[in-house]
Amino acid sequence: MDRAEVDTKIRELIEPFNKKGVELKDETTFQNDLEFDSLTVMDFVAEIEDEFDIIISMNQQAEIENYGQLVDAVHKLQAGA
Amino acid sequence: MSEGISQPDQPQPLEAHAGDKDLFSKFDDIIALREGLLSQGREDPFNLVMEKVLSPTRAICNGRETILLGTYNYMGMTFDPDVVEAGKQALADFGTGTTGSRVLNGTYQGHKECEEALREFYEMDHAMVFSTGYQANLGIISTIAGKGDYIILDIDSHASIWDGCAMGQAEVVPFKHNDIEAMEKRLKRIPEGAGKLVVLEGVYSMLGDIAPLKEMVAIAKKYGAMVLVDEAHSMGFIGENGRGVVEDAGVIDDVDFIIGTFSKSVGTVGGFCVSNHPKFEIMRLVCRPYVFTASLPPSVVATAATSIRKLMHGSNKRAHLWENSKNLHAGLRDLGFKLGTEEPQSAIIAVIMPDLEKGAHMWEALIRNGLYVNLARPPATPAGMTLLRCSLCAEHSEEEVGQILEIFEKSGKETGII
Ligand SMILES: Cc1ncc(COP(=O)(O)O)c(C=O)c1O
């Protein structure tokens, strides 16, 4: 999958978690803009992991603050999987 | 998960706001939250003082005689005459403290005897005593799982497990609470050849539910992972010999490490790890939370060893504690309270409150009516629940459980919860 395809897929997956319908840009942050709490993060990460058959460890999650960084990380991880 | 009053077990970064003055500014939100609660004129749930302790099940709290139902003193060993006597004798013979690390001048005869008692209790080859259960998890997890290794753990794990993961710098992969399939999926994806540690708890202390260890341990083994099980809340009580959920589930021989504490059923303070791993003894040299701290006082290890030996023969007490747990669970359910588990699975019964406000109200009504339980509130709780956690003791009599139910009924009606 190229980056655009990964982006499209993640947009789909994030939909049910984006309760306020916040517009997704690369710089949209999970904590402040999307207001994800730790339980939401866990469920959302699990969805992505299952979809792309990858692991995003908590250590890697700590480096991901915004949407663009997530797409980059998943793109890289699934290419290596 | 546990008793983090205003923080979750899984550590979260605190964000300071712009224009902050000093390093304490990041706590401003928590300070405000706490002041908000206290300004409502409530009895502070987290500032209770036990002025006098009368027995494992009774104390004078804030001037009132109170039934204790939130102390984790499951087997009621704190006033056992043999245990108390062993402590007194050790104080007289060995003094008040060791003033040293286990690896220097801090290993006394008593520490050896305590480890011997643990080896016998679990029928395992090795036992290592730490100064607390927190340090046992911190030490063992951080030492065996380092950079490049993977730790797969339940999202509802105790703070000491999370902190051990962080200290060792392993890759941390949590899965949904007690979800066997989610655990397997994650194990399956771990890169070939990486070291793997699965960390589970026998009893999860928030809801009092147990882990499906039979299935989970089998899966962990299938993927070549080592398994560590924290049995803090089951020792002495669950399993035929009180060895925990691992014994009850028939998987004790398949787990690599059991972590436990002396601060619950054993009735004092301290922590331990038991294992059959042939190289386990090297831990004493490489495990920093074991090496770089003073060992337990002689009186503490003497009381622990005596208590552990008595717990080996505690089957009558175990049976009575199960009766208590069943009676309280059925009684509360019949009164109309919502409980954390359908059936009682441990000595912890969690009563789910509608929200924090009502939960705090109910807690206060209970304490006024002479009953102490643990108030657990978000963010320390799963799914943001407010819980009144009841932990039963083998020394609660049948009549006392009846009194407890009466107090719950009275307080529940006063606060409009039932
Ligand atoms: C699951 C679990 N592990 C470890 C600990 C730590 O035990 P200790 O009180 O001995 O530090 C606790 C108790 O708070 C616990 O609930």
Side-chain angles (χ1 to χ4, degrees), chain B residues 75 118-124 201-203 210-214 217 227 229-231 234-259 274 311-315 318 322:
Chain B
M75 298 299 281
L118 282 168
R119 283 197 298 273
E120 280 180 39
F121 185 90
Y122 285 99
E123 287 188 349
M124 288 215 181
E201 293 179 32
V203 173
I210 61 171
L213 287 187
K214 196 175 171 61
V217 172
V227 183
V229 181
D230 180 335
E231 293 277 11
S234 58
M235 181 184 187
F237 171 44
I238 296 180
E240 195 185 339
N241 298 290
R243 291 173 193 153
V245 181
V246 285
E247 181 182 34
D248 204 46
V251 293
I252 195 164
D253 293 333
D254 299 322
V255 304
D256 299 274
F257 311 97
I258 295 174
I259 297 283
V274 291
L311 289 177
M312 290 179 197
H313 312 289
S315 53
R318 284 195 263 285
W322 270 122

Side-chain angles (χ1 to χ4, degrees), chain B residues 87-352:
Chain B
K88 284 185 180 161
Q89 195 61 50
L91 256 180
D93 294 348
F94 292 93
T96 53
T98 67
T99 70
S101 159
R102 283 297 306 273
V103 295
L104 296 172
N105 57 309
T107 296
Y108 287 16
Q109 189 60 31
H111 298 82
K112 285 293 178 199
E113 281 165 13
C114 189
E115 287 173 343
E116 172 83 44
L118 282 168
R119 283 197 298 273
E120 280 180 39
F121 185 90
Y122 285 99
E123 287 188 349
M124 288 215 181
D125 297 340
H126 307 280
M128 188 169 163
V129 168
F130 290 77
S131 299
T132 64
Y134 176 89
Q135 279 167 296
N137 268 329
L138 191 72
I140 295 292
I141 294 172
S142 68
T143 308
I144 61 180
K147 229 177 166 67
D149 297 325
Y150 280 77
I151 298 174
I152 300 87
L153 81 169
D154 191 291
I155 192 80
D156 285 352
S157 294
H158 188 260
S160 54
I161 294 172
W162 288 109
D163 292 355
C165 293
M167 185 169 152
Q169 299 183 317
E171 295 294 321
V172 180
V173 183
F175 61 86
K176 191 169 165 215
H177 177 56
N178 272 353
D179 188 329
I180 299 169
E181 197 193 334
M183 180 189 119
E184 176 159 21
K185 276 187 194 160
R186 275 151 195 82
L187 269 169
K188 200 186 290 183
R189 293 181 194 135
I190 289 174
E192 193 97 24
K196 299 185 266 289
L197 175 67
V198 170
V199 180
L200 305 167
E201 293 179 32
V203 173
Y204 287 88
S205 69
M206 273 295 147
L207 295 177
D209 54 334
I210 61 171
L213 287 187
K214 196 175 171 61
E215 294 81 3
M216 286 187 154
V217 172
I219 289 168
K221 291 284 116 178
K222 183 170 130 194
Y223 291 94
M226 281 191 152
V227 183
L228 177 150
V229 181
D230 180 335
E231 293 277 11
H233 293 276
S234 58
M235 181 184 187
F237 171 44
I238 296 180
E240 195 185 339
N241 298 290
R243 291 173 193 153
V245 181
V246 285
E247 181 182 34
D248 204 46
V251 293
I252 195 164
D253 293 333
D254 299 322
V255 304
D256 299 274
F257 311 97
I258 295 174
I259 297 283
T261 174
F262 298 159
S263 72
K264 305 187 195 302
S265 289
V266 178
T268 173
V269 66
F272 64 87
C273 180
V274 291
S275 176
N276 282 328
H277 195 288
K279 297 181 194 167
F280 187 74
E281 290 299 319
I282 197 64
M283 282 289 129
R284 293 188 201 271
L285 295 184
V286 294
C287 182
R288 296 168 64 87
Y290 178 82
V291 173
F292 291 100
T293 194
S295 65
L296 288 167
S299 55
V300 168
V301 282
T303 52
T306 309
S307 178
I308 291 161
R309 288 193 183 282
K310 290 196 87 161
L311 289 177
M312 290 179 197
H313 312 289
S315 53
N316 289 342
K317 276 185 136 181
R318 284 195 263 285
H320 179 67
L321 184 49
W322 270 122
E323 280 308 305
N324 283 347
S325 182
K326 285 176 187 155
N327 288 342
L328 183 68
H329 189 280
L332 287 171
R333 198 187 41 203
D334 292 348
L335 283 173
F337 287 103
K338 195 171 163 214
L339 305 181
T341 55
E342 282 298 311
E343 299 295 326
Q345 299 182 7
S346 67
I348 299 172
I349 312 279
V351 187
I352 302 173

